[in-house]
Amino acid sequence: MKHDQAFGYPWGRMSEIYKHLTKSGVLARVSGRIVRARHILGIAFLALLLVLVSGASLPVMAVCSIVLLLAVAAFMPAPRVEEALASSGGGPESGLSRISGEHLAEQLPDPMIIFDAGGMVLYANKVAREAFQPLTEDTTLYLRFRAPEMHGLIQGVITDGEPRAIDYFERLPLDRWYKAMVMALDAGEGHPASFVLLFRDQTEMRRIDRMRSDFIANASHELRTPLASLRGFIETLQGPARNDAAAREKFLQIMQKQAERMARLIDDLLSLSRIEMRAHIAVTQSIDLANVMNHVADSLTPLANGLEITIERQIPAHPVKVLGDRDELIQVFQNLAENACKYGQSGKRVIMRLEEENGPDGKEVVASIEDFGPGIPSEHLPRLTERFYRVDVETSRAQKGTGLGLAIVKHILTRHRGRLVIRSQAGQGSTFIVRFTALETKG
């Protein structure tokens, strides 16, 4: 048998060890670490040359071995991620072959993890590293994802190679729902088995589904009451009150109010639906917010006079520019000012203010509607912008409220990148404050 004269190992045995290390993936991981440290090794190589030039005495075999290892580490090509993803099959002429697999994986919007048959992470893209911290190479998936369903998913695909998918819920740092999918990768003959774990974020979809279900339930409840009332009055008019003129007149007035209430509710539902459909469309038009608030104050003057309320204006005479949709912002301030007149009626005055301030992120436009009515208990403030939420159901219905006004305000301001702040205490009135980023006016 032929032996290496320097080290005394059989060449056949060394070849077997090399094949085993290559097949298991250990050699690739070790070489990857060496490549990542190639600059340090290069410096060490130069330092060794200086030692040799200076005449320091070292064993010749040790010097040759170190020089060989340093040279290999310094010039060894980095392991290619695409070899773990799949054998490309394209030559140097191929356009896709010139694009790094790692670069493509880093651009994916969803988390992606590649792991070996032992569940060890070989690669995780940027989104995965941020979503599932701590997650690095050589992390064991079974320790990072402890849910039994995840273990079953990973082990099942490793066992038979058949792709699988499950719904996975991640609690920390935030509640997130994912569709987790695992499939085997075809790395080619002689390459170690590897697998890819993909996550599709479904949190927003589930949130929308839950909101839709709640919305339908609340809308059905709100419509059921006036419909039941209308049905009852119709049956009464068809029966006992058929020939009672006074009762007929009374019931018809009530039926008209119930029909108007349903019409208002449907109008608000349609308005909210239109706003949600436009939520992704950025506003680009410059408008004068001072003009908008003056328009709202003018349009509500008849309502205020009927309620014996004075609307005071503290609005600058010069234009105050913001990015916005004029019609939507009129709807915002009309809802807020109308609520102030109706629910703050006992205070006899409503103040509409518009100011410009220096905020932490630059100049801001601050619009506020203040009333001096009974105020809102603090426990209700966090929920005021929820659909159909009312502090006092009877009072809201008496004021012809639908429970959707502040929800509409919130959605419009979200599209406009505005912030709504509500300040109120029981017995001390309420102030609704809206903040926008100011536009610089060209003088």
Side-chain angles (χ1 to χ4, degrees):
M1 181 179 294
K2 185 177 180 180
H3 289 70
D4 184 318
Q5 299 300 320
F7 298 97
Y9 286 103
W11 280 109
R13 180 60 177 163
M14 291 181 66
S15 177
E16 290 177 7
I17 294 174
Y18 176 79
K19 288 180 180 179
H20 174 73
L21 293 176
T22 302
K23 187 174 182 180
S24 65
V26 172
L27 190 61
R29 290 198 292 272
V30 171
S31 63
R33 294 192 182 100
I34 294 175
V35 171
R36 286 193 290 273
R38 62 184 180 275
H39 298 100
I40 298 175
L41 294 175
I43 295 173
F45 178 67
L46 292 176
L48 179 60
L49 289 179
L50 292 175
V51 170
L52 294 176
V53 171
S54 65
S57 60
L58 288 174
V60 175
M61 184 56 65
V63 172
C64 292
S65 301
I66 293 173
V67 170
L68 178 62
L69 288 175
L70 291 176
V72 170
F75 298 103
M76 182 183 294
R80 296 172 60 86
V81 174
E82 56 265 29
E83 291 177 1
L85 290 170
S87 53
S88 64
E93 305 296 328
S94 172
L96 286 177
S97 68
R98 295 195 298 270
I99 302 176
S100 165
E102 183 173 357
H103 175 75
L104 291 175
E106 290 295 310
Q107 307 306 312
L108 290 177
D110 297 317
M112 185 193 77
I113 300 170
I114 298 175
F115 60 97
D116 61 17
M120 190 76 71
V121 175
L122 302 176
Y123 170 78
N125 69 352
K126 179 181 178 182
V127 183
R129 295 192 300 270
E130 293 175 350
F132 306 118
Q133 298 178 4
L135 184 66
T136 59
E137 292 182 14
D138 299 335
T139 299
T140 302
L141 287 180
Y142 300 116
L143 295 179
R144 175 57 187 83
F145 302 101
R146 298 178 180 271
E149 58 269 24
M150 282 293 288
H151 288 194
L153 174 70
I154 295 168
Q155 291 170 357
V157 178
I158 290 175
T159 301
D160 57 25
E162 294 297 323
R164 289 175 171 80
I166 62 168
D167 291 324
Y168 174 67
F169 179 57
E170 180 83 1
R171 291 189 177 277
L172 297 174
L174 297 173
D175 289 355
R176 310 292 295 181
W177 283 99
Y178 294 97
K179 174 71 74 174
M181 299 165 283
V182 178
M183 63 188 72
L185 295 174
D186 182 10
E189 188 70 25
H191 290 276
S194 56
F195 307 84
V196 61
L197 172 59
L198 295 170
F199 293 87
R200 178 62 57 85
D201 194 339
Q202 297 187 318
T203 306
E204 187 67 15
M205 185 185 304
R206 286 179 175 266
R207 186 186 68 83
I208 292 173
D209 286 342
R210 185 172 61 250
M211 287 175 57
R212 184 183 295 114
S213 299
D214 293 343
F215 182 73
I216 292 172
N218 288 327
S220 300
H221 175 75
E222 292 295 323
L223 287 170
R224 186 181 296 116
T225 301
L227 282 173
S229 177
L230 284 173
R231 179 185 297 176
F233 287 128
I234 291 172
E235 291 175 353
T236 303
L237 289 172
Q238 289 176 336
R242 180 187 297 272
N243 299 317
D244 188 338
R248 184 166 62 248
E249 184 66 23
K250 176 183 177 181
F251 290 161
L252 286 174
Q253 289 179 2
I254 297 174
M255 291 169 66
Q256 183 180 3
K257 290 181 179 178
Q258 295 292 354
E260 290 173 352
R261 177 185 166 196
M262 284 193 294
R264 288 194 303 271
L265 178 59
I266 292 171
D267 286 343
D268 281 352
L269 288 172
L270 292 174
S271 178
L272 187 57
S273 177
R274 285 192 297 268
I275 293 165
E276 288 179 331
M277 289 178 63
R278 291 165 52 85
H280 65 285
I281 303 174
V283 290
T284 57
Q285 183 181 358
S286 172
I287 66 163
D288 179 7
L289 197 58
N291 180 271
V292 167
M293 295 190 70
N294 280 317
H295 172 81
V296 170
D298 291 338
S299 65
L300 289 179
T301 298
L303 172 66
N305 291 339
L307 297 173
E308 299 181 349
I309 292 175
T310 302
I311 297 180
E312 301 178 11
R313 309 186 197 190
Q314 297 180 10
I315 302 172
H318 60 81
V320 179
K321 297 290 186 177
V322 297
L323 284 178
D325 182 297
R326 177 179 170 80
D327 292 337
E328 289 188 358
L329 291 183
I330 286 176
Q331 192 172 6
V332 165
F333 291 104
Q334 190 148 353
N335 276 338
L336 295 178
E338 189 173 336
N339 284 348
C341 291
K342 290 180 177 178
Y343 300 107
Q345 182 178 354
S346 60
K348 299 300 180 183
R349 44 192 293 250
V350 169
I351 301 177
M352 298 182 65
R353 293 189 185 90
L354 183 61
E355 303 169 306
E356 295 176 274
E357 297 180 355
N358 291 320
D361 299 322
K363 199 172 183 180
E364 291 185 334
V365 172
V366 183
S368 63
I369 310 291
E370 181 180 7
D371 69 66
F372 299 87
I376 305 169
S378 58
E379 63 269 19
H380 294 287
L381 296 181
R383 301 190 60 189
L384 285 181
T385 57
E386 293 181 14
R387 294 180 175 94
F388 300 110
Y389 186 81
R390 296 179 174 94
V391 175
D392 187 324
V393 175
E394 294 304 320
T395 302
S396 175
R397 287 179 177 169
Q399 297 293 349
K400 302 179 180 180
T402 63
L404 292 173
L406 290 179
I408 291 173
V409 167
K410 181 188 74 171
H411 280 79
I412 292 175
L413 292 181
T414 298
R415 180 180 175 228
H416 285 71
R417 303 296 185 265
R419 291 175 291 153
L420 176 65
V421 179
I422 305 173
R423 295 175 182 166
S424 184
Q425 292 184 7
Q428 298 185 24
S430 305
T431 304
F432 288 77
I433 304 168
V434 180
R435 293 181 175 271
F436 300 94
T437 300
L439 285 181
E440 295 294 335
T441 56
K442 296 181 180 179

